[in-house]
Structures are given as C-alpha cells and as structure tokens.
Amino acid sequence: MKNTDFVVRFAGEGGQGVVTSADGFASANAQVGYHVQTFSTFPSQIRGGPVWTQTRISTEPIRSSGDDLDVLVAFNEYAYNEHKSEIREGGVIIFDSGTFELEGVENSFGMAFDDLARSTGNARAANMVVMGALAYLVEIDQSILEQFVTKRFTRGRPNDQEIIESNIKALTLGRIEAENSGFMIGQMADAIPPEGEQVLINGNVALSLGAMAAGIDVYVGYPISPATPILLFMENNLPGPGKFAYQSTSEIESITSIIGAAFAGKKAMTATAGPGFTLMGEGIGLAWMAEIPVVVVDVQRGGPSTGLPTKTEQSDLLTALYPGHGDMQMPVIAPGTVEECFVAGHRAFAWAERYQGPVVVLSEHMLSERNQNIPKPDLSKVNSENRSVYTGTNGYQRYDGWELSPMPIPGNPGSYVANGSEHDGMGDTTHLADRHIQMTNRRFSKLKLLEDGTYESQNTDASIVLMPWGGSKGSGLSAYEELAEEGVDLGWYYTMYLSPLPPKLLEELRTKDLVLVPELNYMGQFASVLRSQGVKAEAITQYTGLPFKVRELASRIRDRVGTQQKESVTA
Amino acid sequence: MTSKNPEYDFKWCPGCGDFGVRRALETAISRRTVEMEVAPENNVIIAGIGCSGNMVHLLEGDQPYGFHGIHGRSLPIAMGAKMGNPDLNVVVVAGDGDFLGIGLEHISPQAARNLNITAIVMDNGVYGLTKGQSSPTTDLGAVTSSTPYGKTEDKLHPFKMYLSLGVSFVSSTMSSQVRQMSTIMSEAMDHPGFSIVHIQSPCTEYNNTFELLKGNVRKGIPGLAYDIPEDHDDADWDAAFDIASNDGIPLGVLYRDTTRPTLDQRIDEVSEKVKAKSVASLLDSYAI
C-alpha cells in the first residue's frame, strides 16, 4: 500500500536553510496537487540558535503539522539529539556529514550538504541536495522538483539558466546519495489534486488579504514578532489613492492613529502581538467609549511580558476580551485555520463598521507562519459592510438614545465631540448617573448586532462534547475523529466567533454535562469564559510553546471522558 | 454650562488663562469660516486630558468637530484624522502635562514627518485638574503638592526642544494677548507643516504667573515676557535658537520653515510611484 501522508522535519541552526528547505519542499509538492502544510519554530535571533521546521504532505486536506516524523533532516548533532525521539518506527534520519558523524544509528545516512552543493558550482543549493534525497525516499518523481526549480529561478536574469542547472544537479546528487543509502520510506500515493483553484499562503497573508477584501483604507503598525509580516504586507500592497500603510513609533501610536483615521471616516486596522496589545489597552477602551470602528489584530505568541516571542500559545484570550479598564467587552474573532484567517480579516471589518467599535482578531504564531494550500477565496462571497453615516444637518446628537446611531464624518455637517469621557448625546463630558446608565447600556446593546457568527457541530446528541478554539481546531478535530472511530460518544463544536458567541451555540452548550476545551495556555482561559456563561466547561491545557499532537490530545480526551462516564454511572 | 449645552457642567476657574486662549481660538476658526470660506465642520479640535482638554466642549460659536481622547495621545489621534482626510484643519489643544509630560514621545515623530497640523499648548507649569502637582515646565526647586520639599528635576525648555526636534513652525505667546494669540494661531493653521503655538496660560489656583510674565512696575517686577524684535528673521534657525536660549518669554513667531514637504505630500509622492494593487491580483500572485 502506498503512503498517503509524509512528514519531514528540518532541524539545525538559523541561516542553514532550514526554513527554505521546508517551504521549497512544500511549494514543489503543492504544484503537483498534494496538500501541504508547514510549521516553523525558531529562537528570537537573526543568525544561529536552534531552528526547526516541518513539512507535511498528504493526499488529503491537512489539519495539523503531523505527530511523528517519517524523516528527520539533521543539520547538526544538537538537532539530531533534540528531535530523534519523534521519529516514527521505520523513519529515516538524513544528517549533514559535513558537520558531524552519526555512528551506530541504523536508520540513518549522512551526506555533506554543503560540499555536494559546492560541487555543482552553486554553494546555495544545499537545500536542493536535501530535497532530492527526500524525493527519492518517498519515490516522488524528480521531475516534480525540477519543474519547481525551473519556475522559481526563472527570474529574467542573465544567469537564470546557470542557476537552474546547478540546482537540478544538486537535486540529482541528493537523490544518488539516498539511493546509495539503501533506505526507502515507501512510495507516496499519487496526488489527488484538489478541485478548484488553490493558493499557497500563510495565516498572516490570509488575514491581510481578508482585510483588503473588506476595503481597508489605513494600516498603522509597529514591528513585533509574529505580526511584523502583516505590516510588511500592507506597506507593500496597500498604498494607492486614499489608502496608506504606515510604520508607527509605538503600539500606542498605532492604536490612537487608526482611531483618528477611523474617526475621519476610514476603515482602519493595526496588528500586533501580546506586548503591543497590552500597550493598546487604553486606546481600545477609547474606541469602545467614543464608538469608533477599528480592527485590532493580536497574533498571539507565548507570554506574559516578552515571554516566548517566536513560539505559539493561546494565552491572550482574556486580555483580548477585556483589554482595558472599566465596563467593556471586545468582540473577538479567533480564526483556527489559514482559510479562516482570510474570513476573520473581512468579518472583523464588517463587525467593526456595523457596531461602530473596536473588534479584536486573535491569530496565533502557528497560523501566522503556516504555509498551506487553501482553496482560493471567492471574492464575490465577501460581504463587505460600511458604517451607517449621518447625512443630515448640524445640531446632531450623535450619541442620543439607547442603541446604534449613524456616525457623522468630519468635513460634513453633524459636528460632535468623540469623547472618551462619559458623555451626553452631543458628546460633551458628563457625570450624571442617568447618562452613564444610558451610555453603558447603549454600548453593550450594540454587541447584539454581532450575534450572526456561525459555528460547526457534529454528534450534537452527546452529553460530553469537545470544543477547541483557534489554532487548536486542527489537532482537536483529528482527535475527535479518532475517538469517534473508536466508538467514544463525544460531540463536536467549534466557532471562530468567541465574543459574542452565536446565541444558539451557547444555548446548546449549556445543555451539556461536560464541554472539554483543548487550549494552549495554563489558565484554561476559554473554559473559564464558557463557565462564566453557564457552560460546564473544563480545559485540557498545554503550555509548551508548541501545538497539540493529535495522539496525545486524543489520549487525554479519552481518559477524561472515561472518568466522566464512570462518575455518572456511580451517581 | 455652555449656552449650547445646559447639561455640560465643567468650569475653568475664574481668571484662568485658558479663557483667553479659547477666545483666540474661536476667533481664528471663525476667521477661516469668513475669510477662507472653510465650513466650521471642516475643523477638528483634538484634545487630551487636563483643564485644556475641555476646550473642545467650551467653544462657542461655529462648532468644529471635537475629539476628547486620552491623556497624552492627541498628536497620534490628530495624525490619523489628518491622514484620513488631509483636507481637514486639524488642531490639537493640550496642556504642558499632556503635551510635554505623558505625551512627549509623540512630538519627535510628528516633527520628523512634518505632519500638517497645529498644536496649541497651554503651559501653566502645573497639573491643574489633579490639583497642583509639578509638571515638566515647573521650576527646579518649586514646592508643589507632589514636590513638598522642592522639585528635583530641571525645568524643561520647550522652545529649544521644539527647534532641536525640527518642528517647522515654533511660536510663543501668552493668554492675556488675545489678538496676538489668534493672529499666530491663524498663521500656524495656514503653515504647511507641524506648527506649535506655545502659550503661557497661568493657573490662578496653583501657579499664578501673570505678574511674573507681565511685570509690575510698582513692585519692581520687570516681567519675563517681551516681544520678539521685528527684525528677527524667522527663517533663520540659529537666530531662533538664540532667542530660545535667552532668559524670558519671547512673544511672536520664533521659527518658520515652509520648504519641507508635509506628511500627506510625502505619502502622496510614494502612492504615485506605486501601482495600486487589487485583492484579486494579489490572490493570483499566490496561486499554485
């Protein structure tokens, strides 16, 4: 039987081509119709330090980066020692014999990555040597990689042909080394190309494209891992008539300047990570209070403080919901896949413009860096929304009443004071109790306009259900299916609209005996949010800086379901 | 209470310098309405927190748009508003605490960008709204509620700082000179770039410097304020810095550089160089 799934990890040091190998291998295989997904993790430094990336290739759509390694490519001895325990039985290690020797390890073979590359006349082709060897191990035709090389290096430069030839030579050298080793992983089944056009993008790009599809006018951001690529995307792609992107001097400047732009009528967004998001707290409160539509993206990393800047964690949910002081609650959309990052990008704008206030998008490091093939988003299905604009004469009471009202735009009649202090109908500061009651109710009642979030569910009759959020969706869904196949009576719920939750979903969750929430944090943040809304929720936590492995997660769910069932029998 | 809104209950103290500043600002805005035919709603007044921040509610007459934001952040809010719509006349009103204390970090980048807005700074050398704490422009050694044994920080010198940071229009005036203030405000609003109108606006409650500024012949107080000589060339940065380095409070325009492009012009220049990209074409660029 042919393999339908292949997982390879590249481990070494920053600057050795670990990332380009993973991305290149993914791109090449995506071109012939395999499903691909990459994962990368690295220390917060430019050169050196342990880096590893992983590429998974499959004939089926991919949900997570893969539990066990078919092949480990070790660029140095440290990498081998760190990762050897994750190689599956029958898996193979390719090590760089130019750097170290691995003696007495049966399932391994060495080749000198750099020396082989240099022998082609192109010292930069070491990753091609590796890719050639990999293709041989899973019997993927080398022509697939050759096509990829030709496409990538046809750049209209005089030496294109030379570079293409040396890279192809490098592929061949790698293949010969693998052939001589005598190892095979087993043939990879032919690709089943997905129907419809596909794009290969990561979560940060998907989110940025979603924002552009919604009609973003202004982007202001400050560099911070792992959100910097959104700033770079916007700087490169947003400028045009009436549209601009700008690098600020701090996250405080980012949030307050997009508030100013949104006040002036623009669709505006910023993106940051935990530390920057914390700095934005007061500004987000201002947008809530003054009723200014803005989108704030938090690409979560490990926290608190500087924490783990280049690792993945889902520990910003509580701060996303309550980023500032006082009575306020953010609408929060937390995409769980690259595809959903695109959706979150435009839904966040729809929500912000609709209820005239700030909306938080919670992405994650693992999504931001994940390159994956997804169906090309259908732009005709993006329902972009614009705010309700006041078109009357001067003398308008902008904040009058208990619910949403049209927003005047400076330059047009309808002058008012956008105010972060408690205010009356025209926006003047007030301390009257009746006003504070009216305005507080007004601000919270607007959240009802956002109860159109969708959700997924399976086996809804079960009394114990699984409900991961964000990037844990993929591993969660695979674990759910594994358990369902075993006959475990478990239900499945998922939504990216965490606040406000779709009302019908909340209603269903409240009828369950136990809602298990896998999440990557210590506190069990989403479980506690659900409990505060009357759901019997319990978290399954992990805080390693890495995503859940399907097998480990399934085992923890299985154990917990078992205990619960025993308890209910005893009762 | 204002004539337009009986519910609004904030008051400046009797004799507060900010009354004069308000009168000058109202005059400057209505001058734009009358002389330049700029509709009142084309003006946006952006305030932070402090006594000065209430300017947005207390303005009588033509009503501009207002933004009463958070402490220290009026400059970046103003940047967003101005860049969102470069046709707006955007004016920041701030106190010395708001502008030079918590908000100090925002002056330098706007000077470097030459953001085309006007900042009106009401300097009373004290935090008034929180009842008399020391501010960056409080004198060294001064006893205030927060420096009971004397202030241990040197006094900040705003004019030397503005000039060093590259603010392209630097002016100085005082709250009792309503006509001069409003003239300078109009010039500042007309200035293509980042303009600051720094006003000595004494706090009658916690730091009454009226007499020190204007002097009192009977008491033998010479008065710190003096008119900048008419022959001062305000295009000459070194001359401006000399004035700023002298003792006393100069009244008038110290420096004016109309040659630097404004932020909106800079962004326009960039935008003209690049071809606007559609989402559809960007998506295509990631096609497999």
Side-chain angles (χ1 to χ4, degrees), chain A residues 124 128 154 207 212 440:
Chain A
R124 300 178 63 178
M128 292 298 163
T154 303
L207 212 160
M212 287 192 76
T440 304

Side-chain angles (χ1 to χ4, degrees), chain A residues 166-186:
Chain A
S166 60
N167 275 291
I168 289 176
K169 205 168 162 196
L171 288 170
T172 311
L173 290 175
R175 184 168 56 84
I176 293 168
E177 292 290 324
E179 217 172 329
N180 292 340
S181 77
F183 290 113
M184 291 294 279
I185 289 290

Side-chain angles (χ1 to χ4, degrees), chain A residues 72-248:
Chain A
L72 170 67
V73 180
F75 286 73
N76 58 33
E77 192 162 8
Y78 175 83
Y80 165 72
N81 288 322
E82 263 319 272
H83 300 282
K84 64 183 175 191
S85 65
E86 294 183 65
I87 304 162
R88 73 161 170 85
E89 215 181 305
V92 170
I93 299 147
I94 306 176
F95 64 92
D96 183 0
S97 58
T99 315
F100 71 108
E101 274 306 325
L102 204 56
E103 278 165 23
V105 181
E106 273 184 19
N107 55 334
S108 72
F109 70 93
M111 50 185 196
F113 300 172
D114 288 334
D115 290 349
L116 290 168
R118 267 193 293 274
S119 74
T120 69
N122 181 354
R124 300 178 63 178
N127 55 345
M128 292 298 163
V129 174
V130 172
M131 281 163 62
L134 287 174
Y136 175 80
L137 291 180
V138 286
E139 296 176 54
I140 290 177
D141 204 81
Q142 188 175 309
S143 65
I144 289 169
L145 297 179
E146 288 180 9
Q147 280 169 29
F148 163 74
V149 164
T150 309
K151 195 171 164 189
R152 167 168 288 193
F153 296 106
T154 303
R155 295 178 289 195
R157 296 177 192 166
N159 60 346
D160 277 1
Q161 198 51 39
E162 200 181 313
I163 289 174
I164 290 166
E165 274 166 22
S166 60
N167 275 291
I168 289 176
K169 205 168 162 196
L171 288 170
T172 311
L173 290 175
R175 184 168 56 84
I176 293 168
E177 292 290 324
E179 217 172 329
N180 292 340
S181 77
F183 290 113
M184 291 294 279
I185 289 290
Q187 194 180 0
M188 190 71 189
D190 285 345
I192 309 166
E195 277 181 33
E197 281 182 272
Q198 302 276 306
V199 288
L200 183 62
I201 54 176
N202 64 37
N204 273 341
V205 169
L207 212 160
S208 306
L209 286 166
M212 287 192 76
I216 180 176
D217 299 304
V218 173
Y219 179 91
V220 182
Y222 184 79
I224 184 169
S225 297
T228 309
I230 299 178
L231 168 67
L232 303 189
F233 180 97
M234 292 297 177
E235 290 277 10
N236 276 294
N237 299 314
L238 184 57
K243 293 179 183 251
F244 71 95
Y246 212 82
Q247 179 181 334
S248 66

Side-chain angles (χ1 to χ4, degrees), chain A residues 253 376 411-412 418 420 424 428, chain B residues 5 41 57 65-66 68 84 113 284:
Chain A
E253 193 178 75
K376 185 173 159 183
N412 303 289
D424 60 17
D428 281 338
Chain B
N5 188 0
E41 56 266 23
H57 309 294
Y65 274 79
H68 196 173
R113 295 162 184 154
D284 285 339

Side-chain angles (χ1 to χ4, degrees), chain B residues 51-105:
Chain B
C51 294
S52 61
N54 290 282
M55 183 74 78
V56 286
H57 309 294
L58 290 165
L59 284 176
E60 301 280 353
D62 295 338
Q63 287 300 299
Y65 274 79
F67 200 124
H68 196 173
I70 46 181
H71 200 26
R73 313 303 167 199
S74 39
L75 277 179
I77 293 173
M79 169 178 159
K82 182 69 182 181
M83 299 318 298
N85 181 358
D87 293 337
L88 298 173
N89 175 41
V90 178
V91 177
V92 160
V93 289
D96 46 307
D98 199 46
F99 201 72
L100 302 171
I102 188 170
L104 184 84
E105 70 192 74

Side-chain angles (χ1 to χ4, degrees), chain A residues 351-505:
Chain A
W351 273 18
E353 295 289 315
R354 189 193 302 161
Y355 102 111
Q356 296 173 12
V359 171
V360 177
V361 177
L362 261 190
S363 184
E364 294 163 43
H365 177 262
M366 72 162 125
L367 295 172
S368 69
E369 301 269 342
R370 176 189 292 172
N371 274 303
Q372 185 168 8
N373 65 297
I374 63 165
K376 185 173 159 183
D378 183 350
L379 293 174
S380 69
K381 290 201 176 123
V382 174
N383 180 18
S384 99
E385 294 183 28
N386 296 312
R387 76 188 73 163
S388 162
V389 171
Y390 176 73
T391 53
T393 53
N394 276 323
Y396 178 53
Q397 301 274 321
R398 189 264 182 273
Y399 298 110
D400 205 25
W402 295 70
E403 40 194 44
L404 186 87
S405 44
M407 187 170 164
I409 305 297
N412 303 289
S415 305
Y416 72 106
V417 179
N419 199 342
S421 305
E422 192 55 284
H423 42 264
D424 60 17
M426 61 200 302
D428 281 338
T429 304
T430 179
H431 306 95
L432 298 179
D434 285 350
R435 277 295 186 196
H436 188 46
I437 294 167
Q438 175 220 330
M439 290 296 171
T440 304
N441 289 346
R442 171 188 165 97
R443 291 186 287 268
F444 276 95
S445 80
K446 293 194 303 168
L447 290 176
K448 291 204 190 327
L449 299 169
L450 311 181
E451 290 180 343
D452 61 339
T454 51
Y455 64 97
E456 301 168 11
S457 61
Q458 291 184 53
N459 193 25
T460 53
D461 290 338
S463 62
I464 306 175
V465 303
L466 189 65
M467 189 180 175
W469 65 278
S472 295
K473 179 188 187 185
S475 309
L477 188 54
S478 295
Y480 166 77
E481 285 178 359
E482 201 176 307
L483 294 166
E485 249 174 62
E486 290 172 19
V488 177
D489 189 21
L490 187 67
W492 166 264
Y493 286 93
Y494 171 81
T495 184
M496 60 193 267
Y497 303 98
L498 301 187
S499 167
L501 282 166
K504 196 167 166 295
L505 167 63

